[in-house]
């Protein structure tokens, strides 16, 4: 079974689960694993369906993922599509090997414990889903409707999966989910268990974290355990207090800045990423500039910027819109600032000794998640430790 995956790390993990459940069978199937975070993401998924059908007329097209969960009728009506599976059904052998044209059911039945998997095709690091769904109600977000309520894998199961990954050669693991910081059994106690109980785990990272869910416990662990990497990514979304309130976010500008300061007290070279929305409904130019201010004050080195995308059925979709052209322009402005901040941070790394996990074509990432190209060192192992010699464009060179 061939899978074309869109969207987040959660989808990447679940793709690996589906491939294992398929047991190298279903050779006549191309599965499109969709994303619904933006309207553009859904458009790209539909485009991929049409292309896959054109290029593989002898294959069955099966569609699943968040967009399929939200709009099963839309995908079932596409002439290219043979079957549609929901986010629960895709994780069961019964559905994958079934024949029903549409199998999209109640998300409350999403499995809490998933099969132990051992392979991420073409990767040197593994994503580990510890959590699913969200109990919050951000006004712009449709994903909670596609993923259901907050549930989590049991801590014992997470440790078991992490050990299986390490035994398979994945020494870096990234914990992922819809709302990782709300892991129902306690994220920091789970993190400590992984760092102390999984022999051979060299690097542990997190997916995007809600700023309202992080605190001193995380920083205390980072100060003690070298395997907890000095690079974090927060779901910030905006810098202006009124816009954050209209988004129904639970943090402030000051919360993010305070956390950034504490993070750099633990490790002065730690990097901080952020998900950001440009042009949220009602956002003025001055309010957008508060987001740019936040990027500079908190030194956001990894800015993941989206122009606001209307998601029908969400409260934000009923608010007064910023013109689309302005949303795009603001997003580009934020991206450019983010690249400038990252370049400046990279320049601070020149002369530092770093350890790089090689991923492909002599490139990889440092402990603080900055991209590196290896020029002067023979690449004969997974990890390379060397001095940073300089920066070429937007990549460090060793």
């Amino acid at each position: 079974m061939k899978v074309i995956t869109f969207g987040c790390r959660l989808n990447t993990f679940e793709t690996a689960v589906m491939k294992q459940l398929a047991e190298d069978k279903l050779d006549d199937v191309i599965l499109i694993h969709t994303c619904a975070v933006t309207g553009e993401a859904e458009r790209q998924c539909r485009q991929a369906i049409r292309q896959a059908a054109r290029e593989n007329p002898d294959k069955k097209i099966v569609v699943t993922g968040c967009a399929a969960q939200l709009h099963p009728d839309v995908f079932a009506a596409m002439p290219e599509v043979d079957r549609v599976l929901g986010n629960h059904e895709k994780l069961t052998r019964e559905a994958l090997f079934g024949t029903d044209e549409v199998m999209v059911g109640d998300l409350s039945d999403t499995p809490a414990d998933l099969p132990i998997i051992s392979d991420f095709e073409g990767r040197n690091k593994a994503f580990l889903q510890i959590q699913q769904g969200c109990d919050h109600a951000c006004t712009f977000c449709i994903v909670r409707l596609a993923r259901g309520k907050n549930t989590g894998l049991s801590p014992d199961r997470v440790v078991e999966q992490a050990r299986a990954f390490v035994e398979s050669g994945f020494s870096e693991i990234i914990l992922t989910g819809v709302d990782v910081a709300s892991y129902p059994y306690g994220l920091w106690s789970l993190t400590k268990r992984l760092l102390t109980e999984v022999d051979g785990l060299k690097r542990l990272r997190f997916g995007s974290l809600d700023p309202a869910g992080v605190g001193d416990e995380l920083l205390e662990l980072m100060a003690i355990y070298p395997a907890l990497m000095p690079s974090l990514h927060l779901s910030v979304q905006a810098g202006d207090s009124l816009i954050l309130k209209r988004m129904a976010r639970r943090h402030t500008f000051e919360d993010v800045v305070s956390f950034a300061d504490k993070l750099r007290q633990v490790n002065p070279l730690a990097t901080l990423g952020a998900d950001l929305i440009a042009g949220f409904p009602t956002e003025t130019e001055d309010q957008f500039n508060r987001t740019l201010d936040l990027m500079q004050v908190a030194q956001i080195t990894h800015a993941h910027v989206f122009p606001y995308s209307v998601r029908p059925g969400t409260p934000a979709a009923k608010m007064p819109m910023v013109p689309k052209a302005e949303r795009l322009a603001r997003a580009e402005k934020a991206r450019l600032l983010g690249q400038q901040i990252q370049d400046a941070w990279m320049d601070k790394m020149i002369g530092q000794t770093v350890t790089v996990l090689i991923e492909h074509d002599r490139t990889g990432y440092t402990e603080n998640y900055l991209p590196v190209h290896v020029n002067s060192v023979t690449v004969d192992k997974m990890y390379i430790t060397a001095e940073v010699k300089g920066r070429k464009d937007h990549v460090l060179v060793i």
Side-chain angles (χ1 to χ4, degrees):
M1 180 177 70
K2 178 181 178 181
V3 185
I4 300 173
T5 303
F6 291 85
C8 62
R9 292 165 170 173
L10 188 60
N11 269 12
T12 301
F13 177 85
E14 290 172 345
T15 288
V17 172
M18 289 187 287
K19 284 185 174 182
Q20 181 161 304
L21 290 172
E23 298 177 334
D24 294 326
K25 300 176 182 177
L26 299 175
D27 291 337
D28 61 338
V29 169
I30 296 179
L31 191 147
I32 312 294
H33 199 177
T34 65
C35 174
V37 69
T38 64
E40 174 62 17
E42 290 196 37
R43 186 196 67 78
Q44 291 177 2
C45 293
R46 293 192 296 270
Q47 184 180 50
I49 290 167
R50 297 186 184 100
Q51 181 176 346
R54 285 195 306 270
E55 295 176 352
N56 304 273
D58 58 331
K59 304 285 189 181
K60 295 179 182 177
I61 304 295
V62 178
V63 182
T64 189
C66 289
Q69 179 71 40
L70 291 169
H71 311 298
D73 295 343
V74 170
F75 290 100
M78 293 181 67
E80 299 87 355
V81 174
D82 294 283
R83 303 184 63 217
V84 180
L85 306 180
N87 270 335
H88 162 65
E89 288 76 16
K90 70 185 181 186
L91 300 175
T92 67
R93 294 187 78 256
E94 177 186 7
L96 288 175
F97 286 90
T99 57
D100 291 356
E101 292 184 4
V102 178
M103 298 180 69
V104 179
D106 187 346
L107 288 168
S108 64
D109 293 330
T110 299
D113 282 327
L114 298 170
I116 298 296
I117 61 175
S118 58
D119 185 43
F120 270 89
E121 188 176 333
R123 295 178 182 271
N124 283 345
K125 58 189 176 188
F127 303 140
L128 200 172
Q129 176 188 324
I130 65 170
Q131 179 276 334
Q132 171 76 269
C134 183
D135 291 341
H136 306 301
C138 297
T139 60
F140 55 84
C141 186
I142 198 74
V143 174
R144 67 186 184 89
L145 301 179
R147 288 287 182 171
K149 293 185 178 297
N150 179 22
T151 60
L153 272 69
S154 68
D156 288 344
R157 190 71 166 181
V158 174
V159 171
E160 183 182 3
Q161 177 64 83
R163 285 176 175 152
F165 279 145
V166 172
E167 290 170 3
S168 297
F170 297 99
S171 58
E172 177 173 319
I173 293 175
I174 302 171
L175 303 183
T176 188
V178 175
D179 183 13
V180 175
S182 294
Y183 175 68
Y185 302 104
L187 180 58
W188 314 127
S189 60
L190 173 69
T191 300
K192 186 173 182 178
R193 281 195 62 181
L194 291 169
L195 293 167
T196 56
E197 297 180 21
V198 181
D199 294 336
L201 177 59
K202 293 184 178 180
R203 290 182 167 187
L204 183 65
R205 301 187 191 273
F206 302 99
S208 185
L209 296 170
D210 185 343
V214 299
D216 292 343
E217 301 96 332
L218 168 59
L219 300 176
E220 289 167 3
L221 289 171
M222 189 175 289
I224 297 171
Y225 299 101
L228 187 55
M229 293 292 96
S231 176
L232 299 169
H233 196 93
L234 303 181
S235 178
V236 174
Q237 310 303 357
D240 182 79
S241 58
L242 180 57
I243 293 299
L244 286 168
K245 184 176 182 179
R246 288 174 177 166
M247 289 178 167
R249 302 295 291 164
R250 300 177 298 145
H251 65 274
T252 65
F253 182 110
E254 291 75 20
D255 291 335
V256 176
V257 171
S258 174
F259 181 79
D261 289 343
K262 292 178 180 179
L263 174 64
R264 270 66 182 252
Q265 289 172 16
V266 173
N267 187 325
L269 294 176
T271 57
L272 185 63
D275 299 318
L276 299 166
I277 295 175
F280 183 80
T282 76
E283 182 186 70
T284 66
E285 186 71 24
D286 286 344
Q287 289 170 330
F288 169 67
N289 286 336
R290 285 290 284 166
T291 296
L292 301 182
D293 292 342
L294 179 59
M295 293 174 66
Q296 292 177 316
V297 175
Q299 286 292 281
I300 301 299
T301 56
H302 296 71
H304 193 194
V305 184
F306 290 98
Y308 170 74
S309 178
V310 179
R311 300 282 71 202
T314 62
K318 300 176 183 178
M319 298 179 187
M321 292 293 147
V322 174
K324 186 174 182 179
E326 182 62 24
R327 288 180 244 160
L328 295 172
R330 291 179 187 178
E332 183 61 20
K333 190 173 183 179
R335 291 190 191 106
L336 288 173
L337 175 60
Q339 189 62 68
Q340 291 168 7
I341 294 171
Q342 186 180 94
D343 287 347
W345 208 263
M346 286 185 175
D347 290 342
K348 292 169 61 176
M349 297 296 297
I350 296 173
Q352 298 284 335
T353 298
V354 298
T355 298
V356 180
L357 171 61
I358 301 299
E359 299 199 15
H360 55 83
D361 297 331
R362 300 179 68 88
T363 63
Y365 289 88
T366 63
E367 299 94 331
N368 56 352
Y369 206 67
L370 293 171
V372 176
H373 183 76
V374 180
N375 279 344
S376 59
V377 181
T378 300
V379 179
D380 58 356
K381 50 189 175 182
M382 187 177 296
Y383 288 94
I384 299 294
T385 299
E387 180 182 317
V388 176
K389 301 298 184 183
R391 172 173 65 88
K392 183 176 180 181
D393 296 327
H394 308 307
V395 179
L396 292 173
V397 177
I398 63 175

